[in-house]
Amino acid sequence: MPNYIKYIFKNVLFLFVYLTIFRLLFYFFALDTTGFDTSELKNAFFLGSRFDLKLASLGVFPIAILVLILNNRFFVKPIFKKTANFYWVFFYVVITIFYLFDFGFYNYLNTRIDATALRFTTNLMISLQVMVESYPVFTGLFGLLILGILVYKFSNWQYKIAAKNSFVLSIKRKSIYFVSTIIVLSFFIYNSFTHYPLRWSQAFFSKNIAINQFALNPVLYFFDSFAFRSEGVDLEDFKKYYPIISENLHLPKDTISFERKMIFNKSSSEKMNVVFVMLESLGVKPLGYYGNAANASPHIDSLLRKSIHFSNFYVHKSGTAASVFSSVTGLPDVDDINTASRNPMIIDQRILFDQFDGYEKLYLIGGSANWANIRGIFQANIAGLQIFEEGSYEMENRADVWGIDDYELFKESDEEFKKLHEQKKPFVAYIQTASNHIPFTVPDKKEEFIPLSKDSISADVLEKSGFKSIEQLNALRYLDFNVGKFLERAKKSGYYDNTVFVFFGDHNTAMNPTDKYSKEYDLNIQLQHVPFIIHAPKLFAPIEIKTYGKLIDLFPTVMSLMNINHTNYTLGRNLLDPFAAKDSFSFVYLRMNGEPTIGILKDSLYFSKTLVTKTKGLYDLRTKTLDDLSKKDSLKASQMDSLLMAYYHSTKYLYFNNKKLAH
């Protein structure tokens, strides 16, 4: 191996060791390790080492590219020697400063440094004074100077060693070394054998917050959170609107608290299983039950007739990651930059999923839980959760980018549920489907399912149904088939009668406008209107409920229906509570005319407001026209505006003030 290649990987090793030293210092001098689980600690250290290797490789990459281009010439000209020495001194000093700030940040707030630290720069003089009075700053500066000198000498020594005994390589061997080095460094940065790279969310695998903090690399974590640096709560606005949300949710008016204890006198001694099924890209518009001309959903249509279902149920945001975040945390995704699941500063929440005491808890997905950093939402907040993802299943025939298809996912889920049923262990599970999503991958044949050909459905029916293609229609038919097959398996496996099945859409698929729900299409909210079905025919009589509801009402409604005691810290409510029904509403977050917009649906009215220009509109969903009623009925518009803003600012507040207590 030529010396210039050794030079690259030696620097990766040295930097990795340096970062590991800081990890050990953090463990011994910053962490309170009382009550640490040994296996979790080992896992955190292993994950942390992977993050450190990723940072070390990222740090070496710029120099590595230069060295690979120049080869031995890098060790001939003095300019390259100066470049290398300057780069390493700068990098090691900056990294050290980062870690020193991280130690202070953690000592102050019990969390690793993230982009919120930038708020201290708004009052820079005060922050500097606090730092000087609290820490040995001048001693630290002197130490950094000594570090810079040592790194310079060490870099110089490395450079001289690499410059010795260089030999000429053929172009072919140079090319091999070039490509191989790039691949190895890229793998160290990607740091995963799955379809998703190593991400910060993997560090949040424990309910012990300190364990998770130990696993993080503060430099990577800071830049991961940098995109969300502007996210925050306006406390003045929140306090202004809190009386409105407190009245709507029946909260205390004299103090800020969202805690509502739900204690049921008729708590069942026998624990029923609960299975939440997120139906990918399924709104009400494609379903035959709601009047779609294609009649492509016979199983789901039949399910609606046999279940409790909500016909005015809306998700908050038209994105899968947003709906997973909202359904699990009980808080809407109102993040305009990306999705809330990707924001490392808000995933730590007190949620209802964690309050199924005595239940086995499962999350099942056909692909990787690293997708959209969803892993952090589940693992950080749910004790004892088992995640089933790619690599977890016995049979894995990857269908497309989303992993195994819904048929295999439901089949594998049924196997797990059957085992727990036979062991008499109650379970609560969350299944995330994916096949009804672009690229709409369906098999040529699966048992009795056969996709329709273009010739088997008339162009007129396809147009009236709103489907954009036969592939989109077949994807819905395949999802529908798999829902029916799943319930059929549940009956054969024996747990059907003892299980409450909860089906809901994460958002509607993008469809062409039709006569059905044309008003929602014009208002750009047809993507948010989805089915919500609670199926347990042995327990509950079928009924259609027209109360307006929203995704975060999912868990409170199901747990209340099952008489499960819980404490609700979120904005969600029980849609079956007759006293709450009159105050219930739906909330959506979307974009109108290029800017973020929030909207509220209540009493067949829709009120929307853009967040930048503050443009408002009030519309009657029962009419065909798009007349803005906000000026004609200014009192109603004002009331809905106040409720909308109260809800929006309360969401922002709870992002940062609904966190679990540190262990």
Side-chain angles (χ1 to χ4, degrees), residues 271 355-361 425-427:
K271 286 184 168 65
Q355 296 184 38
F356 280 86
D357 296 332
Y359 281 76
E360 299 295 314
K361 304 180 184 74
K425 293 181 178 179
F427 56 86

Side-chain angles (χ1 to χ4, degrees), residues 58-120:
L58 283 168
V60 170
F61 211 89
I63 285 289
I65 294 295
L66 186 61
V67 172
L68 289 171
I69 292 171
L70 296 171
N71 308 145
N72 292 323
R73 287 173 293 162
F74 182 81
F75 301 102
V76 175
K77 293 187 178 181
I79 183 64
F80 298 127
K81 180 180 180 180
K82 291 178 181 178
T83 300
N85 289 341
F86 173 79
Y87 180 82
W88 292 123
V89 169
F90 176 80
F91 194 85
Y92 274 87
V93 168
V94 168
I95 287 293
T96 303
I97 291 172
F98 236 107
Y99 273 90
L100 291 175
F101 274 105
D102 175 60
F103 283 136
F105 197 82
Y106 187 84
N107 180 59
Y108 183 47
L109 295 171
N110 278 338
T111 185
R112 305 304 289 265
I113 192 168
D114 56 37
T116 60
L118 294 174
R119 69 184 185 273
F120 294 117

Side-chain angles (χ1 to χ4, degrees), residues 127-299:
S127 298
L128 287 174
Q129 186 175 350
V130 170
M131 189 168 63
V132 169
E133 292 176 359
S134 305
Y135 301 101
V137 173
F138 297 108
T139 303
L141 290 173
F142 180 73
L144 289 172
L145 177 63
I146 299 299
L147 173 67
I149 294 171
L150 292 174
V151 172
Y152 177 84
K153 290 184 176 295
F154 186 70
S155 173
N156 211 33
W157 173 69
Q158 277 195 85
Y159 188 91
K160 288 180 180 178
I161 291 176
K164 294 178 181 178
N165 302 320
S166 60
F167 52 89
V168 179
L169 296 173
S170 66
I171 294 177
K172 181 180 179 181
R173 289 192 66 188
K174 283 182 180 179
S175 300
I176 292 172
Y177 277 118
F178 184 97
V179 173
S180 300
T181 302
I182 293 295
I183 289 174
V184 172
L185 287 176
S186 298
F187 175 73
F188 286 167
I189 294 169
Y190 192 81
N191 220 288
S192 174
F193 289 102
T194 69
H195 289 81
Y196 295 91
L198 176 70
R199 288 174 171 165
W200 60 262
S201 58
Q202 289 175 255
F204 291 84
F205 66 91
S206 171
K207 285 208 71 181
N208 188 322
I209 297 171
I211 286 276
N212 299 335
Q213 297 297 310
F214 176 55
L216 291 168
N217 177 289
V219 180
L220 296 176
Y221 187 58
F222 177 85
F223 287 101
D224 282 331
S225 65
F226 190 75
F228 301 94
R229 62 195 179 279
S230 61
E231 288 295 315
V233 55
D234 188 320
L235 282 175
E236 288 187 12
D237 279 339
F238 166 69
K239 290 177 181 178
K240 172 184 173 183
Y241 288 107
Y242 177 75
I244 297 168
I245 202 71
S246 67
E247 183 178 351
N248 182 265
L249 293 179
H250 307 291
L251 304 173
K253 291 180 172 58
D254 55 343
T255 182
I256 295 174
S257 174
F258 289 85
E259 179 179 329
R260 287 102 74 203
K261 290 186 179 296
M262 304 296 171
I263 307 298
F264 300 94
N265 295 326
K266 297 180 180 179
S267 289
S268 175
S269 57
E270 181 185 9
K271 286 184 168 65
M272 297 285 293
N273 308 313
V274 195
V275 177
F276 294 89
V277 182
M278 191 213 79
L279 300 169
E280 173 62 49
S281 301
L282 185 70
V284 299
K285 188 174 179 179
L287 299 177
Y289 180 89
Y290 293 106
N292 189 277
N295 289 316
S297 53
H299 295 99

Side-chain angles (χ1 to χ4, degrees), residues 36 56 107 152 249 287 312 321 324 350 358 364 394 421 435 447 452 456 487 495 600 621:
F36 271 25
N107 180 59
Y152 177 84
L249 293 179
L287 299 177
N312 289 310
V324 174
R350 292 182 289 187
L364 306 105
E394 290 185 15
H421 172 68
S435 293
E447 297 189 24
L452 297 174
S456 60
L487 293 175
Y495 59 85
I600 192 169
L621 297 174

